Amino acid sequence: MDKNRLFWASRRGMLELDLVLQPFLENVYDGLPQEDKERYWALMDCEDQDMFNWFIHRHQPEDPEIQRIVGIVRANTGMQIDS
């Protein structure tokens, strides 16, 4: 997916998601392997409320591919839970 198009897809209807996704796209996305980039593209098709709940650890995605990219986003944006 074109980076400019992905930038606009990462701008969501919730400020909380913008604060997670925009820095991830700017600082981490380019260094991802192609398979994880494609997972990010799939994440952009998910509902905002679902993404928000995943990022704040309220729920886990059922799809293992989406689980993986959610974990990567969490780990790189300060959304991980410290053990």
Side-chain angles (χ1 to χ4, degrees):
M1 181 179 288
D2 172 280
K3 183 88 181 249
N4 190 44
R5 190 168 159 210
L6 194 56
F7 172 81
W8 288 106
S10 296
R11 294 198 59 187
R12 309 303 290 200
M14 294 178 68
L15 175 62
E16 296 86 351
L17 290 178
D18 290 349
L19 294 173
V20 171
L21 296 173
Q22 292 294 310
F24 180 83
L25 184 63
E26 293 170 9
N27 300 314
V28 179
Y29 176 83
D30 289 335
L32 294 175
Q34 184 63 32
E35 297 83 18
D36 288 333
K37 287 180 180 180
E38 292 173 15
R39 289 180 182 103
Y40 188 81
W41 304 343
L43 181 65
M44 294 300 97
D45 289 334
C46 296
E47 296 292 326
D48 288 0
Q49 196 61 42
D50 290 335
M51 278 194 272
F52 179 72
N53 286 322
W54 298 334
F55 291 141
I56 64 167
H57 299 270
R58 193 171 288 159
H59 301 288
Q60 283 281 56
E62 291 181 19
D63 182 332
E65 299 295 314
I66 299 297
Q67 275 184 15
R68 176 170 168 77
I69 194 62
V70 166
I72 292 169
V73 172
R74 284 177 181 161
N76 287 281
T77 56
M79 302 294 294
Q80 71 276 10
I81 295 178
D82 293 327
S83 306

